[in-house]
Amino acid sequence: MNREALSGAGTAIDWARVREDFPLLARQVNGKPLIYLDSANTGQKPASVIQTVDDFYRQHNANVSRAVHTLGTEATDAYEGARKRLARFLNVRPDELVLCSGTTFAINLVAYSWALPRLKAGDTLLVSRMEHHANIVPWQLVAQRTGATIKVAEIHADGTLDLDALHAAMTGDVKLLAITQTSNVLGTVNPVREICREARKRGIVTVVDGSQAVPHRAVDVAAIGCDFYALTGHKMCGPTGTGALWARKEHLQAMPPFIGGGEMIKEVSFDGTVFNDPPHRFEAGTPNIAGFVGLGAAVDYLDALGMANVEAREAELLAHATEELDRIDGLRIVGRAPDKAAVISFLIEGVHAHDLATLLDLEGVAVRSGQHCAHPLLQFYGVAATLRASFAFYNTHEEVDAFIAALKKARALLA
Ligand SMILES: Cc1ncc(COP(=O)(O)O)c(C=O)c1O
């Protein structure tokens, strides 16, 4: 990263300089300076990540774990180095970290490799109302195949989880609880440590979706005490098609492979195959090597910035934007949890979210409109779509003001 942006002890950060690390943020959209408020969807990439990927292809490109030649060794070292850096960032062991294409793959790996062989009719999978489809649909597929059923832990109207109901729902038939750490729609940060502790007491295996948590605050996966933790690289300054599943070693060792092929084996004959040890057992085929090397650079970038600084900066942007949005008549924010990430979903009376998003785009403002891959959550609120403005540390207070001005203008046009 642009280390000069860190001054003194490293806590006072020149955020304007940090923003310059992100080349794409300098572009114009529809003749206006881009205001990118869709980081919950995917994050922008600092130059160090882009350069690392570029450098990999220019200087080191080879396949991993196969060739003894120099490039092969360099590529393998870079790939395994990224695993180590990500593991350190999450406070887990590298040999418990399976690299994969993202949260969707990570959760499907748990569903197919851990849940499918174990669950049966009479068993229950517990999920919360606020899950992303990636943490619902794989469990529905498992339920269909095994005869297990799905139970939903409900939320309060303010977007917080109903913890009493959740604990009460942890009955003897529940074998697995799948829960997000941070909601991609509401911004709610769930107390996953407490939830996993309660689940563990009852022998329930826990899967935490960390997609929206890891990019925005320091996450100590070991301290959460879950069984599985899924994350995605592209929301944390890394390349698309990167992510990871952390799992306790005893689970990984007991799990059969999900995808078969090269790299995940020790020995193959037509009489049978001896599988590789975890985590490589779950990494069949040529991985997204350049992507993971880039993810390693993203981890370095966030580390240098300091996740406590990232969290504090985003909290300021959230407070500013919330205050301004609350001044707009007829605007309703969905999700008011006290512990909240910088994600604001909202509606304006009488105006369709997609129309507003289209007009905002003409002003250079990128927000998401729709159901945010969380249909059951929007059904709970009885709304067809919301607008979602999601912030990252590289956004500015001036952008918040420009977004509010653009929103007022768009609304006036549609009224
Ligand atoms: C909470 C949450 N879970 C899962 C996902 C899926 O991530 P990916 O598409 O990178 O696999 C997302 C992406 O938006 C998300 O926000």
Side-chain angles (χ1 to χ4, degrees):
M1 72 161 288
N2 183 349
R3 282 178 178 272
E4 284 163 30
L6 295 171
S7 67
T11 46
I13 292 186
D14 180 348
W15 292 105
R17 292 288 303 277
V18 169
R19 183 184 168 85
E20 286 170 13
D21 291 338
F22 292 79
L24 187 140
L25 296 178
R27 69 162 281 186
Q28 303 239 318
V29 166
N30 295 320
K32 304 277 168 61
L34 169 67
I35 298 176
Y36 186 75
L37 302 182
D38 199 18
S39 293
N41 208 350
T42 195
Q44 295 304 343
K45 321 301 174 200
S48 61
V49 169
I50 299 167
Q51 275 158 12
T52 300
V53 174
D54 183 79
D55 180 64
F56 178 80
Y57 281 126
R58 286 179 193 276
Q59 296 294 330
H60 310 286
N61 181 46
N63 213 327
V64 289
S65 314
R66 295 180 190 187
V68 295
H69 56 68
T70 300
L71 288 186
T73 309
E74 286 175 9
T76 304
D77 287 350
Y79 178 71
E80 291 302 330
R83 189 196 311 275
K84 285 186 193 136
R85 270 130 91 190
L86 184 59
R88 207 179 313 121
F89 190 64
L90 301 169
N91 191 28
V92 297
R93 293 165 49 125
D95 61 355
E96 295 181 337
L97 199 59
V98 178
L99 300 182
C100 61
S101 62
T103 296
T104 302
F105 189 97
I107 294 177
N108 275 276
L109 173 54
V110 184
Y112 283 90
S113 193
W114 188 89
L116 200 55
R118 282 171 182 76
L119 297 194
K120 54 183 188 328
D123 291 339
T124 299
L125 297 148
L126 181 58
V127 300
S128 90
R129 167 69 65 178
M130 68 174 85
E131 298 312 309
H132 185 280
H133 295 161
N135 207 16
I136 298 175
V137 181
W139 308 121
Q140 288 177 329
L141 296 173
V142 167
Q144 275 166 19
R145 295 226 206 152
T146 58
T149 48
I150 293 185
K151 192 151 72 172
V152 180
E154 289 297 349
I155 59 171
H156 297 294
D158 68 354
T160 52
L161 202 56
D162 183 339
L163 283 176
D164 292 337
L166 176 67
H167 294 159
M170 293 182 186
T171 45
D173 52 318
V174 175
K175 295 291 176 292
L176 180 142
L177 165 67
I179 183 105
T180 194
Q181 187 169 358
T182 302
S183 162
N184 63 311
V185 180
L186 306 167
T188 306
V189 179
N190 289 316
V192 284
R193 208 167 160 164
E194 177 191 336
I195 292 167
C196 291
R197 192 175 52 233
E198 290 302 315
R200 184 156 273 265
K201 275 192 217 159
R202 296 162 171 84
I204 299 169
V205 163
T206 46
V207 182
V208 175
D209 176 351
S211 311
Q212 299 286 350
V214 176
H216 305 295
R217 52 174 66 188
V219 174
D220 182 336
V221 172
I224 292 172
C226 54
D227 290 280
F228 296 97
Y229 192 93
L231 69 127
T232 208
H234 66 94
K235 297 186 202 284
M236 52 180 287
C237 297
T240 49
T242 63
L245 174 73
W246 171 82
R248 291 177 187 271
K249 197 161 197 170
E250 66 261 30
H251 291 318
L252 288 179
Q253 273 168 343
M255 282 160 57
F258 170 37
I259 306 273
E263 306 291 350
M264 48 75 74
I265 47 82
K266 278 186 177 157
E267 221 179 283
V268 179
S269 78
F270 284 112
D271 298 325
T273 291
V274 180
F275 300 124
N276 209 338
D277 297 324
H280 299 100
R281 183 188 299 169
F282 304 103
E283 295 176 10
T286 300
N288 179 5
I289 306 165
F292 284 107
V293 177
L295 181 59
V299 166
D300 289 348
Y301 184 85
L302 291 173
D303 244 348
L305 210 48
M307 292 311 292
N309 294 324
V310 166
E311 187 181 344
R313 168 73 174 173
E314 293 178 0
E316 276 174 18
L317 293 167
L318 174 68
H320 179 182
T322 304
E323 196 183 322
E324 292 300 327
L325 287 169
D326 275 339
R327 288 185 213 274
I328 298 179
D329 277 348
L331 187 147
R332 170 184 166 208
I333 292 180
V334 178
R336 298 268 192 183
D339 190 4
K340 185 175 165 173
V343 173
I344 310 178
S345 285
F346 62 95
L347 300 135
I348 296 186
E349 221 173 12
V351 187
H352 200 283
H354 290 308
D355 294 340
L356 270 175
T358 306
L359 289 181
L360 284 172
D361 184 54
L362 292 176
E363 298 296 317
V365 181
V367 293
R368 188 168 169 190
S369 58
Q371 304 200 28
H372 319 294
C373 298
H375 291 184
L377 180 59
L378 269 75
Q379 285 155 13
F380 172 86
Y381 284 104
V383 296
T386 70
L387 276 151
R388 183 185 70 183
S390 55
F391 301 83
F393 57 86
Y394 43 66
N395 290 122
T396 65
H397 289 282
E398 292 72 30
E399 284 183 312
V400 171
D401 293 336
F403 156 57
I404 299 293
L407 189 60
K408 286 179 180 162
K409 184 172 164 189
R411 190 217 187 146
L413 281 172
L414 291 168

